């Protein structure tokens, strides 16, 4: 069953085209991740879908209902968690949940049952009496998620829910999402983390208001049509500049150097390029491309600019905002 | 002054809650030091003490050679600080923001203009200098914030989640800039939740419930705990320490 259907959606702000004729569907029990640079249009897309802003063209249906004409019927089906969620800092965890329940007319036993279920999900029960402002960042995000789930929506729209959240809390957050999905709800979310894109059922890379690529994480990785090499070496800035000046596309990734080469490239030739820039090529090996490699590639930017950088070319549409 | 940061048993209590609990740290000049930990572990409180913004309840030490308890004003002036929350004025241009910060640090005239133009060049900011800061994408605003933090050429810069919410392309470029700074001898004291960025650091520490529970080069920690990745190591250490926040 399609829980979200978006057709040719466009959203402008004055002369800026934030979302440019985007279309997709989300199925029940599915997680769809959207990744893209700041200014790509992700938040505008999400707000349009949730009926929070009007859009200029196209159509959005949630569970078959038109968000424009049937908003009252759509509203209880949707759970929206904006990037900055409004928790009441001086209310406790429990009071925040009660407040959001009230907005949806949920009270009494129905509220208490739902609340206990959310405590099971989130692990927030021991902190029920703690004021929201005294929660850690990871717990605040879990409370915000719980508040957006209070009315048992079938479609969740989460705008960068894990930004600024530590790896353990992120893992726990995704365990919660997996349970929600198992319960049949569907989830649309945006994230700057490529490992989260890899955990979604399907994903979209978005830039300048458009979808550049979409598919399962494996489909997206398959879009990479070159070779990726990696050497366990920490290069200096001078070496990196020498590599780029010689025409090599290279980037520091963690404690390694990653080299992007054409499909026909072989390790020997890449090692020679590194050698000319004074980089130790010992341990150079080909590696499977990952989602991050595809993302960097698709955004139409080289991983590293050769000399300084040209913001117009480097920034994509965001530079115009 | 042999170390950029040298603190012993640094402790901060708020009422009966101990946010930072006997933290001992040494960071040398030119190091990139990753200060990791779960949300709520006490990192920001520790950084505020190291920056001279908050006095310790117990313990102490020096940052850039200045005592954090008795010379916080000197630390405030000699360090750079870039926080996860933007400290820039959104309705001023980057140029105006940098002029403001320059004045705060006692810079003026030709010297200030020269430094601003050098930094704008090094960070690729030239074309954005006269737009409103608030209208810039996060990645560029972050660079303006970095420029503001290093305008007075501090020997140590504290970066509190400088790349939160930034896409992989921008994060790589931002780290190239940080590498160049470190190669020039600047000490970088960085918090991050991205484990690939932690691997950029020469050394990291992992903080949990106010204490530093592990410390060392990232690759050494992964080997020590026999894990597949730094992320696994981090999660193992934090959950093993009885967390769950």
């Amino acid at each position: 069953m399609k829980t979200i259907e978006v057709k040719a959606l466009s959203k402008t702000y004055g002369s800026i085209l934030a979302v440019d004729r985007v279309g997709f569907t989300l199925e029940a029990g599915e997680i769809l991740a959207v990744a893209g640079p700041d200014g790509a249009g992700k938040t505008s897309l999400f707000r349009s879908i949730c009926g929070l802003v009007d859009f200029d063209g196209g159509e959005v249906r949630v569970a078959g209902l038109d968000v424009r004409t049937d908003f009252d019927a759509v509203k209880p089906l949707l759970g929206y968690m904006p990037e900055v969620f409004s928790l009441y800092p001086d209310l406790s965890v429990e009071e925040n949940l009660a407040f959001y329940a009230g907005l949806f007319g949920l009270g009494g036993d129905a509220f208490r049952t739902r609340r206990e279920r959310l405590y099971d999900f989130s692990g927030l029960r021991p902190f029920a009496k703690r004021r929201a402002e005294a929660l850690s960042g990871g717990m605040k995000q879990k409370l915000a998620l719980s508040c957006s789930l209070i009315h048992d929506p079938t479609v969740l729209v989460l705008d960068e829910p894990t930004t600024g959240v530590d790896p353990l809390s992120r893992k726990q957050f995704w365990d919660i999402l997996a349970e929600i999905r198992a319960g049949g709800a569907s989830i649309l979310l945006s994230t700057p983390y490529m490992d989260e894109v890899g955990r979604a059922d399907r994903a979209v890379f978005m830039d300048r208001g458009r979808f550049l690529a979409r598919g399962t994480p494996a489909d997206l990785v398959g879009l990479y049509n070159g070779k990726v090499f990696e050497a366990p070496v920490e290069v200096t800035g001078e070496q990196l500049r020498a590599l780029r000046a010689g025409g090599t596309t290279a980037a520091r990734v963690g404690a390694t150097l990653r080299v992007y080469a054409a499909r026909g490239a072989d390790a020997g030739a890449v090692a020679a390029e590194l050698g000319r820039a004074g980089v130790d090529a010992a341990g150079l090996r080909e590696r499977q491309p990952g989602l991050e490699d595809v993302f960097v590639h698709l955004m139409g930017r080289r991983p590293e600019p050769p000399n300084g950088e040209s913001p117009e070319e480097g920034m994509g549409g965001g530079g115009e905002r | 002054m042999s170390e950029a940061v040298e603190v012993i048993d640094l402790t901060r209590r708020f009422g009966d809650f101990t946010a930072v609990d006997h933290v001992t740290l040494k960071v040398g000049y030119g190091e990139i030091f990753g200060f990791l930990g779960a949300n709520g572990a006490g990192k920001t409180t520790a950084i505020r003490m190291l920056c001279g913004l908050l006095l310790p309840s117990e313990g102490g030490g020096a940052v850039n050679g200045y005592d954090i308890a008795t010379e916080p004003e000197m630390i405030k002036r000699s360090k750079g600080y870039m926080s996860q929350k933007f400290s820039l004025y959104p309705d001023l241009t980057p140029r105006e923001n940098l002029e403001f910060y320059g004045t705060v640090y006692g810079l003026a005239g030709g010297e200030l203009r020269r430094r601003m133009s050098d930094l704008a060049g090094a960070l690729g900011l030239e074309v954005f200098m006269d737009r409103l800061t608030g209208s810039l994408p996060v990645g560029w605003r972050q660079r303006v914030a970095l420029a503001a933090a290093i305008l007075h050429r501090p020997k140590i810069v504290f970066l509190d989640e400088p790349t939160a919410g930034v896409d992989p392309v921008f994060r790589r470029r931002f780290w190239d800039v940080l590498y160049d700074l470190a190669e020039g001898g600047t000490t970088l004291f960085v918090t991050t939740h991205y484990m690939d960025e932690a691997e950029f650091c020469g050394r990291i520490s992992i903080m949990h419930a106010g204490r530093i529970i592990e410390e060392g080069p990232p690759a050494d920690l992964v080997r020590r705990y026999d894990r597949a990745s730094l992320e696994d190591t981090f999660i193992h250490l934090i959950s093993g320490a009885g967390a769950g926040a």
Side-chain angles (χ1 to χ4, degrees):
Chain A
M1 191 191 84
K2 293 182 177 63
T3 54
I4 297 182
E5 283 176 274
V6 175
K7 287 180 193 157
L9 177 70
S10 291
K11 168 68 191 160
T12 59
Y13 293 98
S15 62
I16 296 165
L17 185 55
V19 179
D20 186 6
R21 288 161 294 160
V22 156
F24 70 94
T25 58
L26 181 68
E27 301 285 335
E30 189 180 47
I31 298 180
L32 175 68
V34 182
D38 182 57
K42 306 181 295 282
T43 297
S44 299
L45 172 65
F46 286 12
R47 287 182 181 160
S48 299
I49 289 169
C50 294
L52 298 169
V53 295
D54 198 10
F55 42 92
D56 301 272
E59 186 182 300
V60 176
R61 288 184 178 275
V62 172
L65 302 165
D66 189 313
V67 290
R68 275 175 157 161
T69 56
D70 272 331
F71 185 64
D72 288 343
V74 166
K75 200 180 153 210
L77 305 176
L78 273 174
Y80 174 60
M81 180 174 160
E83 200 176 338
V84 180
F85 192 89
S86 298
L87 293 169
Y88 288 85
D90 50 349
L91 294 187
S92 68
V93 166
E94 188 180 299
E95 289 163 345
N96 269 287
L97 287 171
F99 172 81
Y100 280 95
L103 291 185
F104 289 96
L106 188 65
D109 283 346
F111 164 63
R112 278 187 290 277
T113 306
R114 185 68 190 151
R115 181 188 68 199
E116 293 310 307
R117 178 87 186 106
L118 289 169
Y119 284 160
D120 292 342
F121 266 142
S122 64
L124 283 173
R125 188 174 283 113
F127 309 101
K129 303 289 181 201
R130 190 178 286 191
R131 277 174 299 116
E133 66 186 350
L135 297 175
S136 73
M139 282 197 282
K140 272 185 195 146
Q141 292 306 90
K142 286 177 201 164
L143 175 56
L145 178 67
S146 299
C147 289
S148 53
L149 284 170
I150 194 75
H151 57 296
D152 203 8
T154 50
V155 185
L156 263 182
V157 179
L158 314 174
D159 197 356
E160 298 214 359
T162 57
T163 289
V165 173
D166 72 70
L168 177 61
S169 298
R170 279 204 304 128
K171 182 174 175 287
Q172 294 166 342
F173 195 91
W174 272 86
D175 289 342
I176 298 172
L177 295 188
E179 280 204 48
I180 295 168
R181 168 174 54 183
S186 53
I187 302 169
L188 174 67
L189 63 86
S190 58
T191 177
Y193 292 96
M194 290 301 128
D195 62 328
E196 296 187 358
V197 171
R199 292 188 65 162
D201 299 301
R202 285 189 302 133
V204 165
F205 287 155
M206 188 173 187
D207 191 22
R208 306 187 205 200
R210 293 192 179 180
F211 288 177
L212 298 187
R214 66 176 85 199
T216 65
D219 291 340
L220 290 173
V221 170
L223 292 174
Y224 196 82
N225 60 3
K227 277 189 182 173
V228 183
F229 294 89
E230 187 175 67
V233 57
E234 289 188 43
V235 295
T236 64
E238 196 184 341
Q239 288 171 328
L240 201 53
R241 281 184 283 273
L243 273 173
R244 295 175 195 149
T248 304
T249 305
R252 293 183 180 108
V253 181
T256 65
L257 178 72
R258 206 169 284 186
V259 179
Y260 297 94
R263 190 189 297 192
D266 68 80
V270 173
E273 282 177 39
L274 297 192
R276 280 197 291 279
V279 176
D280 180 8
L284 180 81
R285 61 179 188 86
E286 190 179 347
R287 77 189 299 279
Q288 289 301 312
L291 284 164
E292 181 170 325
D293 299 312
V294 181
F295 182 91
V296 170
H297 178 70
L298 280 179
M299 287 304 142
R301 315 153 188 178
R302 300 177 50 153
E304 309 298 321
N307 291 303
E309 53 191 275
S310 153
E312 266 75 21
E313 177 200 19
M315 226 351 265
E320 302 307 309
R321 310 270 150 91
Chain B
M1 49 185 207
S2 54
E3 307 285 349
V5 174
E6 186 162 12
V7 291
I8 296 170
D9 287 336
L10 194 63
T11 301
R12 175 71 206 203
R13 297 185 196 91
F14 296 103
D16 55 5
F17 174 66
T18 305
V20 177
D21 190 2
H22 295 87
V23 162
T24 295
L25 265 183
K26 238 185 221 187
V27 181
Y29 283 106
E31 259 197 88
I32 302 183
F33 186 79
F35 192 55
L36 310 190
N39 299 117
K43 301 187 300 291
T44 298
T45 303
I47 288 180
R48 292 183 65 208
M49 286 192 277
L50 295 176
C51 288
L53 298 171
L54 185 70
L55 285 172
S57 312
E58 194 187 317
V63 169
N64 204 17
Y66 298 113
D67 190 287
I68 60 171
T70 60
E71 299 172 291
E73 290 307 317
M74 293 305 293
I75 294 175
K76 277 187 221 166
R77 237 172 292 165
S78 71
K79 61 95 180 75
Y81 174 69
M82 177 184 163
S83 111
Q84 50 189 297
K85 294 183 186 77
F86 294 112
S87 46
L88 303 168
Y89 293 95
D91 48 353
L92 297 184
T93 64
R95 188 183 309 284
E96 291 162 343
N97 267 295
L98 293 180
E99 277 166 1
F100 170 78
Y101 276 92
T103 313
V104 168
Y105 287 110
L107 294 165
E111 177 63 18
L112 174 58
R113 280 197 299 278
R114 202 159 35 248
R115 288 193 189 191
M116 282 170 52
S117 128
D118 287 353
L119 276 175
L123 297 173
L125 285 171
E126 283 114 332
V127 300
F128 296 125
M129 287 298 273
D130 297 308
R131 297 188 192 179
L132 285 187
T133 304
S135 73
L136 300 178
V138 176
W140 291 105
R141 264 185 282 165
Q142 245 128 348
R143 287 195 182 193
V144 180
L146 178 65
I150 62 178
L151 191 60
H152 59 300
R153 299 189 181 151
K155 286 187 181 156
I156 177 162
V157 183
F158 294 91
L159 301 132
D160 196 358
E161 289 189 43
T163 56
V166 175
D167 77 76
V169 177
F170 250 108
R171 291 200 295 116
R172 287 181 181 185
R173 292 185 181 174
F174 191 84
W175 273 88
D176 275 348
V177 173
L178 295 187
Y179 257 94
D180 285 344
L181 270 178
E183 281 176 16
T186 306
T187 305
L188 301 174
F189 194 97
V190 188
T191 72
T192 180
H193 290 310
Y194 292 96
M195 291 300 117
D196 59 338
E197 295 187 357
E199 288 174 355
F200 281 128
C201 301
R203 255 180 343 123
I204 59 170
S205 66
I206 295 177
M207 195 166 180
H208 173 69
R211 290 172 169 265
I212 288 184
I213 55 172
E214 248 321 337
E215 191 187 329
D220 288 7
L221 295 189
V222 176
R223 271 195 297 276
R224 196 177 306 162
Y225 291 94
D226 194 23
R227 297 281 144 173
S229 67
L230 187 58
E231 177 144 348
D232 286 352
T233 310
F234 179 93
I235 289 174
H236 168 73
L237 282 168
I238 296 288
S239 45

